[in-house]
Coordinates of all heavy atoms in Angstrom, one line a residue:
M1 N -22.8 13.8 -95.9 CA -22.2 15.2 -95.8 C -21.3 15.5 -97.1 O -21.2 16.6 -97.5 CB -21.5 15.3 -94.6 CG -20.8 16.6 -94.2 SD -22.0 17.9 -93.9 CE -20.9 19.3 -93.7
S2 N -20.5 14.4 -97.3 CA -19.6 14.6 -98.5 C -20.2 15.0 -99.7 O -19.7 15.7 -100.6 CB -18.8 13.4 -98.7 OG -19.5 12.3 -99.1
S3 N -21.6 14.5 -100.0 CA -22.2 14.9 -101.3 C -22.6 16.3 -101.2 O -22.7 16.9 -102.3 CB -23.4 14.0 -101.4 OG -24.4 14.3 -100.4
Q4 N -22.7 16.8 -100.1 CA -23.0 18.4 -100.0 C -21.8 19.2 -99.9 O -21.9 20.4 -100.1 CB -23.9 18.7 -98.7 CG -25.2 18.2 -98.9 CD -26.1 18.6 -97.6 OE1 -25.6 19.3 -96.7 NE2 -27.4 18.4 -97.7
K5 N -20.6 18.7 -99.8 CA -19.4 19.4 -99.7 C -19.1 20.3 -100.9 O -18.7 21.4 -100.8 CB -18.2 18.5 -99.6 CG -16.9 19.2 -99.2 CD -15.8 18.2 -99.0 CE -14.5 19.0 -98.7 NZ -13.4 18.1 -98.4
F6 N -19.4 19.8 -102.1 CA -19.1 20.7 -103.3 C -20.5 20.9 -104.0 O -20.6 21.0 -105.2 CB -18.3 19.9 -104.2 CG -17.0 19.6 -103.6 CD1 -16.6 18.3 -103.3 CD2 -16.0 20.7 -103.6 CE1 -15.3 18.1 -102.7 CE2 -14.8 20.4 -103.0 CZ -14.5 19.2 -102.5
A7 N -21.5 21.1 -103.2 CA -22.9 21.3 -103.8 C -22.9 22.6 -104.6 O -23.6 22.6 -105.7 CB -24.0 21.3 -102.7
S8 N -22.4 23.5 -104.2 CA -22.4 24.9 -104.9 C -21.7 24.7 -106.2 O -22.1 25.3 -107.2 CB -21.8 26.1 -104.0 OG -22.6 26.2 -102.9
L9 N -20.5 24.1 -106.1 CA -19.7 24.0 -107.3 C -20.5 23.1 -108.3 O -20.4 23.4 -109.5 CB -18.3 23.4 -106.9 CG -17.4 23.1 -108.1 CD1 -16.9 24.5 -108.7 CD2 -16.2 22.4 -107.5
R10 N -21.1 22.1 -107.9 CA -21.7 21.1 -108.6 C -22.9 21.8 -109.3 O -23.2 21.6 -110.7 CB -22.2 19.9 -108.0 CG -23.0 18.9 -108.8 CD -23.5 17.7 -107.9 NE -22.4 17.0 -107.2 CZ -22.4 17.0 -105.9 NH1 -23.4 17.7 -105.2 NH2 -21.4 16.5 -105.2
Y11 N -23.7 22.7 -108.7 CA -24.9 23.4 -109.1 C -24.4 24.3 -110.2 O -24.9 24.4 -111.3 CB -25.6 24.0 -108.1 CG -26.7 24.9 -108.7 CD1 -28.0 24.3 -109.1 CD2 -26.6 26.4 -108.8 CE1 -28.9 25.1 -109.5 CE2 -27.7 27.0 -109.3 CZ -28.8 26.4 -109.8 OH -29.7 27.2 -110.3
T12 N -23.4 25.1 -109.9 CA -22.7 26.1 -110.8 C -22.4 25.6 -112.1 O -22.6 26.0 -113.1 CB -21.7 26.8 -110.2 OG1 -22.2 27.5 -109.0 CG2 -21.2 27.9 -111.0
A13 N -21.6 24.3 -112.0 CA -21.1 23.6 -113.1 C -22.2 23.0 -113.9 O -22.2 23.1 -115.2 CB -20.2 22.5 -112.7
L14 N -23.3 22.5 -113.4 CA -24.5 22.1 -114.1 C -25.2 23.1 -114.8 O -25.6 23.0 -115.9 CB -25.3 21.2 -113.2 CG -24.7 19.9 -112.8 CD1 -25.7 19.2 -111.8 CD2 -24.6 19.0 -114.0
R15 N -25.3 24.2 -114.0 CA -26.0 25.4 -114.6 C -25.3 26.0 -115.8 O -25.8 26.4 -116.8 CB -26.1 26.6 -113.5 CG -26.8 27.7 -113.9 CD -28.3 27.6 -114.1 NE -29.0 28.7 -114.3 CZ -29.3 29.2 -115.6 NH1 -28.9 28.5 -116.7 NH2 -29.9 30.3 -115.8
L16 N -23.9 26.1 -115.8 CA -23.2 26.5 -116.9 C -23.2 25.6 -118.1 O -23.3 25.9 -119.2 CB -21.7 26.7 -116.5 CG -20.7 27.3 -117.4 CD1 -21.2 28.6 -117.9 CD2 -19.3 27.3 -116.9
G17 N -23.1 24.1 -117.7 CA -23.3 23.2 -118.8 C -24.7 23.2 -119.5 O -24.9 23.2 -120.6
L18 N -25.7 23.6 -118.8 CA -27.1 23.7 -119.3 C -27.1 24.9 -120.1 O -27.7 24.9 -121.3 CB -28.1 23.8 -118.3 CG -29.5 23.8 -118.7 CD1 -29.9 22.5 -119.4 CD2 -30.5 23.9 -117.5
L19 N -26.5 26.1 -119.8 CA -26.3 27.2 -120.6 C -25.7 27.0 -121.9 O -26.2 27.3 -123.0 CB -25.7 28.4 -119.9 CG -25.5 29.6 -120.6 CD1 -26.9 30.3 -121.0 CD2 -24.7 30.6 -119.8
V20 N -24.5 26.2 -121.8 CA -23.7 25.9 -123.1 C -24.6 25.1 -124.0 O -24.6 25.3 -125.2 CB -22.5 25.2 -122.6 CG1 -21.8 24.7 -123.9 CG2 -21.6 26.4 -122.0
G21 N -25.3 24.0 -123.5 CA -26.2 23.2 -124.3 C -27.2 24.0 -124.9 O -27.5 23.7 -126.1
C22 N -27.9 25.0 -124.2 CA -28.9 25.7 -124.8 C -28.3 26.7 -125.9 O -28.9 26.8 -127.0 CB -29.6 26.6 -123.7 SG -30.8 25.6 -122.7
F23 N -27.1 27.2 -125.7 CA -26.5 28.0 -126.7 C -26.2 27.1 -128.0 O -26.3 27.7 -129.1 CB -25.2 28.6 -126.1 CG -24.5 29.4 -127.1 CD1 -25.0 30.7 -127.4 CD2 -23.4 28.9 -127.9 CE1 -24.3 31.5 -128.4 CE2 -22.8 29.7 -128.8 CZ -23.2 31.1 -129.0
A24 N -25.7 25.9 -127.8 CA -25.6 25.0 -128.9 C -26.8 24.8 -129.8 O -26.7 24.9 -130.9 CB -24.9 23.8 -128.4
V25 N -27.9 24.6 -129.0 CA -29.2 24.4 -129.7 C -29.7 25.7 -130.4 O -30.0 25.5 -131.5 CB -30.3 23.9 -128.7 CG1 -31.7 24.0 -129.4 CG2 -30.0 22.5 -128.1
V26 N -29.5 26.8 -129.9 CA -29.8 28.1 -130.4 C -29.0 28.3 -131.6 O -29.4 28.6 -132.8 CB -29.6 29.3 -129.4 CG1 -29.7 30.5 -130.2 CG2 -30.9 29.1 -128.4
W27 N -27.7 28.0 -131.5 CA -26.7 28.2 -132.6 C -27.1 27.4 -133.9 O -27.2 27.9 -134.9 CB -25.3 27.8 -132.2 CG -24.2 28.2 -133.2 CD1 -23.7 29.3 -133.5 CD2 -23.7 27.2 -134.1 NE1 -22.8 29.2 -134.4 CE2 -22.7 28.0 -134.9 CE3 -23.7 25.8 -134.3 CZ2 -22.0 27.3 -135.9 CZ3 -23.1 25.2 -135.2 CH2 -22.1 25.8 -136.0
V28 N -27.5 26.1 -133.6 CA -27.9 25.2 -134.6 C -29.1 25.7 -135.3 O -29.3 25.8 -136.5 CB -28.1 23.8 -134.1 CG1 -28.8 22.9 -135.2 CG2 -26.6 23.2 -133.8
L29 N -30.1 26.2 -134.4 CA -31.5 26.6 -135.1 C -31.2 27.8 -135.8 O -31.9 28.1 -136.8 CB -32.4 26.8 -133.9 CG -33.0 25.5 -133.3 CD1 -33.8 25.9 -132.1 CD2 -33.6 24.7 -134.1
C30 N -30.3 28.7 -135.4 CA -30.0 30.0 -136.1 C -29.4 29.7 -137.5 O -29.8 30.2 -138.5 CB -29.1 30.9 -135.3 SG -29.9 31.8 -134.1
Y31 N -28.5 28.8 -137.5 CA -27.7 28.6 -138.9 C -28.4 27.6 -139.6 O -28.2 27.5 -140.8 CB -26.3 28.3 -138.6 CG -25.5 29.3 -138.2 CD1 -25.2 29.7 -136.8 CD2 -25.1 30.2 -139.0 CE1 -24.6 30.8 -136.5 CE2 -24.4 31.4 -138.7 CZ -24.2 31.7 -137.5 OH -23.5 32.8 -137.0
V32 N -29.5 27.0 -139.1 CA -30.4 26.1 -140.1 C -31.6 27.0 -140.4 O -32.4 26.6 -141.3 CB -30.9 24.9 -139.3 CG1 -31.8 24.2 -140.1 CG2 -29.7 24.1 -139.0
H33 N -31.7 28.3 -140.0 CA -32.6 29.2 -140.3 C -34.0 28.9 -139.8 O -35.0 29.2 -140.3 CB -32.7 29.6 -141.8 CG -31.4 30.2 -142.3 ND1 -31.0 31.5 -141.8 CD2 -30.4 29.6 -143.1 CE1 -29.8 31.7 -142.5 NE2 -29.4 30.6 -143.2
V34 N -34.1 28.3 -138.7 CA -35.3 27.9 -138.1 C -35.7 29.2 -137.3 O -37.0 29.4 -137.2 CB -35.3 26.7 -137.2 CG1 -36.6 26.5 -136.4 CG2 -34.9 25.5 -138.0
I35 N -34.8 29.8 -136.6 CA -35.2 31.1 -135.8 C -34.3 32.1 -136.5 O -33.1 31.9 -137.2 CB -34.8 31.0 -134.4 CG1 -33.4 30.6 -134.1 CG2 -35.9 30.0 -133.8 CD1 -33.1 30.5 -132.6
P36 N -34.7 33.5 -136.5 CA -33.9 34.4 -137.1 C -32.5 34.7 -136.4 O -32.3 34.3 -135.3 CB -34.9 35.7 -136.9 CG -35.7 35.4 -135.7 CD -35.8 33.8 -135.8
L37 N -31.7 35.2 -137.3 CA -30.2 35.4 -136.9 C -30.1 36.7 -136.1 O -29.0 36.9 -135.5 CB -29.3 35.5 -138.1 CG -29.2 34.1 -138.8 CD1 -28.3 34.4 -140.1 CD2 -28.4 33.2 -138.1
G38 N -31.1 37.6 -136.1 CA -30.7 38.8 -135.5 C -30.5 40.0 -136.5 O -30.8 39.7 -137.6
V39 N -30.3 41.2 -135.9 CA -30.1 42.4 -136.7 C -28.7 42.7 -136.8 O -28.1 43.0 -135.9 CB -31.1 43.4 -136.3 CG1 -31.0 44.7 -137.2 CG2 -32.6 42.9 -136.2
G40 N -28.3 42.9 -138.0 CA -26.8 43.5 -138.3 C -25.8 42.5 -137.6 O -25.8 41.2 -137.9
N41 N -25.0 43.0 -136.7 CA -24.0 42.3 -136.1 C -24.5 41.8 -134.7 O -23.6 41.4 -133.8 CB -22.7 43.1 -135.9 CG -22.0 43.5 -137.2 OD1 -22.2 42.7 -138.2 ND2 -21.4 44.7 -137.4
S42 N -25.8 41.8 -134.3 CA -26.1 41.4 -133.1 C -26.4 39.9 -132.9 O -27.0 39.4 -131.9 CB -27.6 41.9 -132.8 OG -28.5 41.5 -133.6
N43 N -25.9 39.1 -134.0 CA -26.1 37.6 -134.0 C -25.7 37.0 -132.7 O -26.4 36.2 -132.0 CB -25.5 37.0 -135.2 CG -25.8 35.6 -135.3 OD1 -26.8 35.1 -134.9 ND2 -25.0 34.8 -135.9
L44 N -24.4 37.3 -132.3 CA -24.0 36.5 -131.0 C -24.7 36.9 -129.8 O -25.0 36.0 -128.9 CB -22.4 36.8 -130.9 CG -21.8 36.1 -129.7 CD1 -21.8 34.5 -129.8 CD2 -20.3 36.7 -129.5
V45 N -25.0 38.2 -129.7 CA -25.7 38.8 -128.5 C -27.0 38.1 -128.4 O -27.6 37.7 -127.4 CB -25.7 40.2 -128.5 CG1 -26.8 40.9 -127.4 CG2 -24.4 40.8 -128.4
W46 N -27.8 38.0 -129.5 CA -29.1 37.5 -129.7 C -29.0 36.0 -129.4 O -29.9 35.5 -128.6 CB -29.5 37.6 -131.2 CG -30.7 36.7 -131.6 CD1 -30.6 35.6 -132.5 CD2 -32.0 36.8 -131.3 NE1 -31.7 35.0 -132.7 CE2 -32.6 35.7 -131.9 CE3 -32.7 37.5 -130.3 CZ2 -34.0 35.4 -131.7 CZ3 -34.1 37.2 -130.2 CH2 -34.7 36.3 -131.0
M47 N -28.1 35.2 -129.7 CA -28.0 33.8 -129.4 C -27.7 33.7 -127.9 O -28.4 32.7 -127.3 CB -26.9 33.2 -130.3 CG -27.4 33.0 -131.6 SD -26.3 31.9 -132.7 CE -24.7 32.7 -132.6
I48 N -26.8 34.4 -127.4 CA -26.5 34.4 -125.9 C -27.8 34.7 -125.2 O -28.1 33.9 -124.2 CB -25.3 35.3 -125.6 CG1 -24.1 34.8 -126.2 CG2 -25.3 35.4 -123.9 CD1 -22.9 35.7 -126.0
L49 N -28.5 35.7 -125.4 CA -29.7 36.1 -124.7 C -30.7 35.0 -124.9 O -31.4 34.7 -123.9 CB -30.2 37.5 -125.1 CG -29.5 38.7 -124.8 CD1 -30.0 39.9 -125.5 CD2 -29.3 38.9 -123.2
L50 N -30.9 34.5 -126.0 CA -31.9 33.5 -126.2 C -31.6 32.2 -125.4 O -32.4 31.7 -124.8 CB -32.1 33.1 -127.7 CG -33.3 32.3 -128.0 CD1 -34.6 32.8 -127.6 CD2 -33.4 32.2 -129.5
A51 N -30.3 31.9 -125.4 CA -29.9 30.7 -124.7 C -30.1 31.0 -123.0 O -30.5 30.0 -122.3 CB -28.3 30.4 -124.9
L52 N -29.8 32.3 -122.6 CA -30.2 32.5 -121.2 C -31.6 32.4 -120.8 O -31.9 31.8 -119.9 CB -29.6 33.9 -121.0 CG -28.2 34.1 -120.7 CD1 -27.8 35.5 -120.7 CD2 -27.6 33.5 -119.3
I53 N -32.4 32.8 -121.7 CA -33.9 32.9 -121.5 C -34.3 31.3 -121.6 O -35.2 31.0 -120.8 CB -34.6 33.7 -122.7 CG1 -34.4 35.1 -122.4 CG2 -36.1 33.3 -122.6 CD1 -34.8 36.0 -123.5
L54 N -33.7 30.5 -122.4 CA -34.2 29.0 -122.5 C -33.6 28.3 -121.4 O -34.3 27.4 -120.7 CB -33.7 28.4 -123.8 CG -34.3 28.8 -125.0 CD1 -33.6 28.3 -126.3 CD2 -35.9 28.6 -125.0
S55 N -32.4 28.6 -120.9 CA -31.8 27.8 -119.8 C -32.3 28.1 -118.4 O -32.3 27.2 -117.4 CB -30.3 28.0 -119.8 OG -30.0 29.2 -119.3
A56 N -32.9 29.2 -118.1 CA -33.4 29.7 -116.8 C -34.5 28.7 -116.4 O -34.4 28.1 -115.4 CB -33.7 31.0 -116.8
P57 N -35.6 28.7 -117.1 CA -36.6 27.7 -116.7 C -36.3 26.3 -116.7 O -36.7 25.5 -115.8 CB -37.7 28.1 -117.7 CG -37.3 28.6 -118.9 CD -36.0 29.4 -118.5
L58 N -35.4 25.9 -117.7 CA -34.9 24.4 -117.7 C -34.1 24.2 -116.4 O -34.3 23.1 -115.7 CB -34.0 24.3 -118.8 CG -34.8 24.2 -120.2 CD1 -33.8 24.0 -121.4 CD2 -35.7 22.9 -120.2
S59 N -33.3 25.0 -115.9 CA -32.5 24.9 -114.8 C -33.4 24.9 -113.5 O -33.1 24.1 -112.5 CB -31.4 25.9 -114.6 OG -31.9 27.2 -114.3
W60 N -34.3 25.6 -113.5 CA -35.3 25.6 -112.4 C -36.0 24.3 -112.1 O -36.2 23.8 -111.0 CB -36.5 26.7 -112.7 CG -37.4 26.8 -111.5 CD1 -38.7 26.3 -111.5 CD2 -37.2 27.4 -110.3 NE1 -39.3 26.5 -110.3 CE2 -38.4 27.3 -109.6 CE3 -36.2 28.0 -109.7 CZ2 -38.4 27.7 -108.3 CZ3 -36.3 28.6 -108.4 CH2 -37.5 28.5 -107.6
V61 N -36.3 23.6 -113.3 CA -37.0 22.3 -113.3 C -35.9 21.0 -113.0 O -36.0 20.3 -112.2 CB -37.8 22.0 -114.3 CG1 -38.4 20.7 -114.5 CG2 -39.0 23.1 -114.5
L62 N -35.0 21.2 -113.9 CA -33.9 20.1 -114.1 C -32.9 20.0 -112.9 O -32.4 19.0 -112.7 CB -33.2 20.1 -115.3 CG -34.1 19.9 -116.6 CD1 -33.2 20.0 -117.8 CD2 -34.8 18.6 -116.6
L63 N -32.6 21.1 -112.2 CA -31.6 21.2 -111.2 C -32.1 21.5 -109.8 O -31.4 22.0 -109.1 CB -30.7 22.3 -111.7 CG -29.8 22.2 -113.0 CD1 -28.9 23.3 -113.2 CD2 -29.1 20.8 -113.0
R64 N -33.4 21.0 -109.6 CA -34.0 21.3 -108.3 C -33.3 20.5 -107.1 O -32.9 21.2 -106.2 CB -35.5 20.7 -108.4 CG -36.2 20.9 -107.0 CD -37.6 20.6 -107.2 NE -38.1 21.8 -107.9 CZ -39.4 21.8 -108.4 NH1 -40.0 20.7 -108.5 NH2 -39.7 22.7 -109.1
K65 N -32.7 19.3 -107.4 CA -32.0 18.6 -106.2 C -30.7 19.2 -106.0 O -30.4 19.5 -104.8 CB -31.9 17.2 -106.7 CG -33.1 16.3 -106.7 CD -32.7 14.9 -107.1 CE -34.0 14.0 -107.2 NZ -33.7 12.6 -107.6
Q66 N -30.0 19.8 -106.9 CA -28.7 20.4 -106.8 C -28.9 21.6 -106.1 O -28.1 22.1 -105.2 CB -28.0 20.5 -108.1 CG -27.5 19.2 -108.7 CD -28.6 18.3 -109.4 OE1 -29.7 18.9 -109.7 NE2 -28.3 17.1 -109.9
R67 N -29.9 22.4 -106.5 CA -30.2 23.7 -105.9 C -30.7 23.5 -104.4 O -30.2 24.3 -103.6 CB -31.3 24.5 -106.5 CG -31.5 25.8 -106.2 CD -32.6 26.6 -107.2 NE -33.9 25.9 -107.4 CZ -34.1 25.3 -108.4 NH1 -33.3 25.3 -109.5 NH2 -35.3 24.6 -108.5
D68 N -31.5 22.5 -104.0 CA -31.7 22.3 -102.7 C -30.5 21.8 -101.9 O -30.3 22.3 -100.7 CB -32.8 21.1 -102.5 CG -34.1 21.5 -103.1 OD1 -34.3 22.8 -103.3 OD2 -35.0 20.7 -103.5
A69 N -29.6 20.9 -102.4 CA -28.4 20.6 -101.8 C -27.5 21.9 -101.6 O -26.9 22.0 -100.5 CB -27.7 19.6 -102.7
M70 N -27.4 22.7 -102.6 CA -26.6 24.0 -102.4 C -27.3 24.8 -101.3 O -26.5 25.4 -100.6 CB -26.6 24.8 -103.6 CG -25.7 25.9 -103.5 SD -25.7 26.9 -105.2 CE -27.3 27.4 -105.4
S71 N -28.6 24.9 -101.2 CA -29.2 25.7 -100.2 C -28.9 25.2 -98.8 O -28.7 25.9 -98.0 CB -30.8 25.7 -100.4 OG -31.4 26.4 -99.5
E72 N -29.0 23.9 -98.6 CA -28.6 23.4 -97.4 C -27.2 23.7 -97.0 O -26.9 23.9 -95.8 CB -28.8 21.7 -97.4 CG -30.3 21.3 -97.4 CD -30.4 19.8 -97.6 OE1 -29.5 19.1 -97.4 OE2 -31.5 19.5 -98.0
Q73 N -26.4 23.6 -97.9 CA -24.9 23.8 -97.7 C -24.8 25.4 -97.2 O -24.1 25.5 -96.3 CB -24.1 23.6 -99.0 CG -22.5 23.9 -98.8 CD -21.8 23.8 -100.1 OE1 -22.5 24.0 -101.1 NE2 -20.5 23.3 -99.9
I74 N -25.4 26.1 -97.8 CA -25.4 27.6 -97.5 C -26.0 27.9 -96.2 O -25.4 28.5 -95.2 CB -26.0 28.5 -98.6 CG1 -25.2 28.4 -99.9 CG2 -26.1 30.0 -98.1 CD1 -25.9 29.0 -101.0
V75 N -27.0 27.3 -95.8 CA -27.7 27.4 -94.4 C -26.8 26.9 -93.4 O -26.6 27.6 -92.3 CB -29.2 26.7 -94.4 CG1 -29.6 26.6 -93.0 CG2 -30.1 27.4 -95.2
E76 N -26.1 25.8 -93.6 CA -25.1 25.3 -92.7 C -24.0 26.2 -92.4 O -23.6 26.4 -91.1 CB -24.6 24.0 -93.0 CG -25.6 22.8 -92.9 CD -25.1 21.6 -93.6 OE1 -23.9 21.4 -94.0 OE2 -25.8 20.5 -93.7
R77 N -23.5 26.9 -93.4 CA -22.4 27.7 -93.3 C -22.9 29.0 -92.5 O -22.1 29.5 -91.7 CB -21.9 28.3 -94.7 CG -21.0 27.1 -95.4 CD -20.6 27.7 -96.7 NE -19.8 26.7 -97.5 CZ -19.4 26.8 -98.8 NH1 -19.7 27.8 -99.3 NH2 -18.8 25.8 -99.2
V78 N -24.0 29.5 -92.8 CA -24.5 30.7 -92.2 C -24.7 30.4 -90.7 O -24.3 31.2 -89.8 CB -25.8 31.2 -92.8 CG1 -26.5 32.2 -92.0 CG2 -25.5 31.8 -94.2
D79 N -25.3 29.2 -90.4 CA -25.4 28.9 -89.0 C -24.2 28.7 -88.2 O -24.0 29.2 -87.1 CB -26.2 27.4 -88.9 CG -27.8 27.7 -89.2 OD1 -28.2 28.7 -89.4 OD2 -28.2 26.7 -89.5
R80 N -23.2 28.1 -88.8 CA -21.9 28.0 -88.2 C -21.3 29.6 -87.9 O -20.8 29.7 -86.9 CB -20.8 27.2 -89.0 CG -21.1 25.8 -88.8 CD -20.0 24.9 -89.5 NE -20.4 25.0 -91.0 CZ -19.8 24.6 -92.0 NH1 -18.7 23.9 -91.9 NH2 -20.2 24.6 -93.3
A81 N -21.4 30.4 -89.1 CA -20.8 31.8 -88.8 C -21.6 32.4 -87.7 O -21.0 33.2 -86.8 CB -21.1 32.5 -90.1
K82 N -23.0 32.3 -87.6 CA -23.7 32.8 -86.5 C -23.3 32.4 -85.1 O -23.2 33.1 -84.1 CB -25.2 32.7 -86.7 CG -25.8 33.5 -87.7 CD -27.3 33.2 -88.0 CE -28.0 33.9 -88.9 NZ -29.4 33.7 -89.0
A83 N -23.1 31.1 -85.1 CA -22.7 30.4 -83.8 C -21.2 31.0 -83.4 O -21.0 31.4 -82.3 CB -22.5 29.0 -83.9
R84 N -20.3 31.1 -84.4 CA -18.9 31.6 -84.1 C -19.0 33.1 -83.7 O -18.4 33.6 -82.7 CB -18.0 31.7 -85.3 CG -17.3 30.3 -85.4 CD -16.4 30.4 -86.5 NE -17.1 30.7 -87.7 CZ -17.2 30.1 -88.9 NH1 -16.0 29.4 -89.2 NH2 -17.9 30.5 -89.9
M85 N -19.9 34.0 -84.3 CA -20.2 35.4 -83.9 C -20.7 35.4 -82.5 O -20.2 36.3 -81.7 CB -21.0 36.1 -84.9 CG -20.4 36.3 -86.3 SD -21.5 36.9 -87.4 CE -22.0 38.5 -86.7
A86 N -21.7 34.6 -82.2 CA -22.3 34.7 -80.7 C -21.2 34.2 -79.8 O -21.2 34.8 -78.7 CB -23.4 33.7 -80.8
E87 N -20.3 33.2 -80.1 CA -19.3 32.8 -79.2 C -18.3 33.8 -79.0 O -17.9 34.2 -77.8 CB -18.7 31.5 -79.8 CG -17.5 30.9 -79.0 CD -17.0 29.8 -79.5 OE1 -17.6 29.0 -80.1 OE2 -15.6 29.6 -79.5
N88 N -17.9 34.6 -79.9 CA -17.0 35.7 -79.9 C -17.5 36.8 -79.1 O -16.8 37.4 -78.3 CB -16.5 36.2 -81.3 CG -15.7 35.3 -82.0 OD1 -15.0 34.2 -81.4 ND2 -15.5 35.3 -83.3
A89 N -18.8 37.1 -79.3 CA -19.5 38.2 -78.6 C -19.6 37.8 -77.1 O -19.3 38.7 -76.2 CB -20.8 38.4 -79.1
G90 N -19.8 36.5 -76.8 CA -19.8 36.1 -75.4 C -18.4 36.1 -74.8 O -18.3 36.6 -73.5
Q91 N -17.5 35.9 -75.5 CA -16.0 36.0 -75.0 C -15.7 37.4 -74.7 O -14.9 37.8 -73.7 CB -15.1 35.3 -75.9 CG -15.2 33.8 -76.0 CD -14.2 33.2 -77.1 OE1 -13.5 34.0 -77.7 NE2 -14.1 32.0 -77.1
E92 N -16.1 38.3 -75.6 CA -15.9 39.7 -75.4 C -16.6 40.3 -74.2 O -16.0 41.0 -73.4 CB -16.2 40.5 -76.6 CG -15.3 40.3 -77.8 CD -15.7 41.0 -79.1 OE1 -16.8 41.9 -79.1 OE2 -15.2 40.9 -80.1
D93 N -17.8 39.8 -73.9 CA -18.6 40.3 -72.8 C -18.1 39.8 -71.6 O -18.0 40.5 -70.5 CB -20.1 39.7 -72.9 CG -20.8 40.5 -74.0 OD1 -20.3 41.6 -74.4 OD2 -21.9 40.0 -74.4
A94 N -17.4 38.5 -71.5 CA -16.9 37.9 -70.4 C -15.6 38.7 -70.1 O -15.3 38.8 -68.9 CB -16.6 36.4 -70.5
A95 N -14.8 39.3 -71.0 CA -13.6 39.9 -70.8 C -13.7 41.2 -70.2 O -12.8 41.9 -69.6 CB -12.8 39.9 -72.0
Q96 N -14.9 41.8 -70.5 CA -15.1 43.2 -69.9 C -15.5 43.2 -68.5 O -15.6 43.1 -67.6 CB -16.2 43.9 -70.6 CG -15.7 44.2 -72.1 CD -16.8 44.9 -72.8 OE1 -18.0 45.0 -72.4 NE2 -16.4 45.2 -74.1

């Protein structure tokens, strides 16, 4: 259970790290002139968009375990919230 305690935070941090890593690779490739720099002043926007496009499928494959753990954590939270709501509704019905 403790490994799932921070599953959302862990997934988010790894996803952000992957994005930063992809941005670094894109930055190097742009300045080595392997890929184009963009048009006019769009260089930074171009690099960020390209890094996002590259990191999305990579995170889908590389972060599967973390995503599953985060999903389990969210399902547990939703189930607890539903149980509390049902309990509260039952108390309100009993009070009437």
